[in-house]
Every structure is written in structure tokens, then in C-alpha cells.
Amino acid sequence: MWSISDSGQLKSAVDSWPNVTVKNAAEYVKRSKAAGADYIKLFQENCCSFAVPPGSVAAATLELQTAVTKAAHDEGLLVVAHANSVEATEVVLKAGVDGLTHAFIDQAPPQAIVDLYKKTGAFVIPTLTVLASLTAQYQDLREKFATIASQKGLVD
């Protein structure tokens, strides 16, 4: 894994990702399905929770996410998304995803997002415990459980 200060490694990792565009979205989805994919996962990230500098990962446009989602649905594939902010969640919900693999963590749910979930019927896998680890909330409790697990030899 790269560190925040190693922008060369980060750039190299990001550059290795598939170059999906609105024009080649359908081709990308077909190749993925042919390779065995049974769903497509979108990545909508604005670095609000990553340990990388903001702007290090270019956020996909609504147009691109919509093109990929439509192509996947045309191929009979489920579409899920990674989005850890309200802004990113709004993009993928508007793109038509079937569900989100995380709840957002940057703020309490605004009514507009609740309404968008209701309108689209998208599901969410909250992963609240994992996402809480990105914050300082309940840090003392997490440290207590880590200490107990260590003392019992469950973790090293």
C-alpha cells in the first residue's frame, strides 16, 4: 500500500485502474461479464475518508456512472457502489445503482438523500462498524476490545 507522502505510488496505482469512459462503458461491462463478473461495483470517491490527499482520485461524473449502470443493467448485472459521502451517494443513486456497499460517513442523512433512496428503491449495506473505525468515535471501546482479543491470543 502507498503512503500519503508517496504520490508516485498513488498515481501509479490509480493509473493501473481500467480507463472506462461513457463511450466504452458497454464494452467494459461486456468484457467484465465475459470474464465472470456477476455484478458491477462503481467507485465514487471524493477522498473524504481515504488516507489520500483530496483530488488524488478523480471522481467519476454522473454521466459516466449512468452509462456504466445502464450497460450493466442491459447485460442483466446488478450494480452496487462504493460512496462514503453524501455527495458521492447522490451521484450513484441518480445513476441508477441497485444498492450501496457502505453508508456515507461525512454527515447525518439529509432528507433529500433519504427521499432519493425511497425514490430509487436502492438498498444499503451500512458497514457501520467498519466505517466507525475511520473516525475517533468510540475509540476507547475499540481499544478495550482489541486489548481483550490480544490477551486471549485471538489477534497478535
Side-chain angles (χ1 to χ4, degrees):
M1 201 61 174
W2 59 84
S3 70
I4 293 173
S5 61
D6 192 347
S7 60
Q9 276 189 306
L10 175 60
K11 182 176 179 349
S12 177
V14 172
D15 287 348
S16 73
W17 296 349
N19 184 20
V20 182
T21 65
V22 171
K23 289 183 178 184
N24 71 11
E27 177 186 315
Y28 171 77
V29 168
K30 285 179 184 181
R31 274 195 325 268
S32 297
K33 185 177 179 180
D38 55 4
Y39 68 93
I40 297 294
K41 184 172 182 180
L42 304 180
F43 185 75
Q44 189 68 32
E45 181 59 54
N46 62 7
C47 300
C48 77
S49 62
F50 270 177
V52 296
S56 299
V57 178
T61 64
L62 173 59
E63 182 183 29
L64 175 59
Q65 300 296 41
T66 301
V68 174
T69 300
K70 181 184 180 320
H73 286 160
D74 287 350
E75 290 293 321
L77 298 175
L78 181 75
V79 180
V80 297
H82 160 99
N84 285 342
S85 70
V86 168
E87 174 189 28
T89 298
E90 181 178 12
V91 169
V92 295
L93 286 173
K94 286 182 175 179
V97 301
D98 300 295
L100 282 95
T101 58
H102 313 286
F104 48 84
I105 60 170
D106 61 333
Q107 61 182 284
Q111 189 60 47
I113 288 293
V114 173
D115 293 343
L116 195 51
Y117 265 107
K118 288 178 179 179
K119 179 181 176 184
T120 63
F123 64 84
V124 63
I125 304 165
T127 60
L128 297 177
T129 302
V130 173
L131 294 173
S133 71
L134 298 173
T135 72
Q137 189 173 19
Y138 300 114
Q139 183 63 34
D140 57 336
L141 192 56
R142 285 197 303 276
E143 288 174 9
K144 177 182 175 181
F145 284 115
T147 299
I148 291 169
S150 179
Q151 289 169 345
K152 291 185 175 191
L154 300 174
V155 297
D156 60 18

